[in-house]
Amino acid sequence: MADKDKPLLIKRYASRRLYNTETSDYVTLEDIAGFIREGREVQIVDLKSGDDLTRQYLLQIVAEHESKGESVLPINVLTDLVRSYTTQATSVVPQFLAASFEMFRDSQSKWVEKMGSVNPMTKMPGFEAMQAQQEAFLKAMTGGIASGTSAPEPEPEGEDLDAIKKELADLQAKLNKLNK
């Protein structure tokens, strides 16, 4: 089982192939971007020298997304970044950017919390189970595409399927009571 608190260690071989040490397979830049989107920290090191290459590869991921038309950074921000490398403000810019993104993450999580408290459905008994059932249903119907995976989930065992059916029936009964 992978330790989600530790950064995912990716080793770069001399052939420039990237190797995921947790799953023992080769990965692409897009795979690494996916790990990061899922909330994982990554560390990319050169196998031979042990040099940390994380920054270099993260910049490459950003550059590839920008070149595909998935622009996130406006031209003036990119210009200011380049300019910051040529001025004495170099030490201030990274701290400013880090603080800005930290504030952004905090405000995002607060917004999600507020939306959860405003939604009356979240207070309904069994809401989390119903939400999990909906996610499982969508995943089954789309073959995992909706959740970002490409392989369908294995079919539940008989006992699991019976438990899911019972939970679904209980939730349906609760919904019927609420609708009356």
Side-chain angles (χ1 to χ4, degrees), residues 133-153:
Q133 290 296 329
Q134 286 176 336
E135 289 172 11
F137 175 75
L138 282 173
K139 189 180 281 186
M141 293 304 290
T142 61
I145 295 169
S147 64
T149 61
S150 57
E153 289 282 320

Side-chain angles (χ1 to χ4, degrees), residues 8 15 17 23 30 37 44 50 52 78 82 89 103 116 122 127 143 160 170 179:
L8 171 59
S15 64
R17 292 192 72 187
T23 59
E30 192 57 39
R37 282 187 214 102
I44 304 168
D52 189 342
L78 293 170
V82 171
M103 286 174 33
T122 60
F127 176 75
D160 292 340
D170 292 345
N179 288 334

Side-chain angles (χ1 to χ4, degrees), residues 133 158-168:
Q133 290 296 329
E159 291 177 6
D160 292 340
L161 188 56
D162 291 340
I164 290 171
K165 286 180 181 178
K166 183 180 180 328
E167 277 186 50
L168 189 56

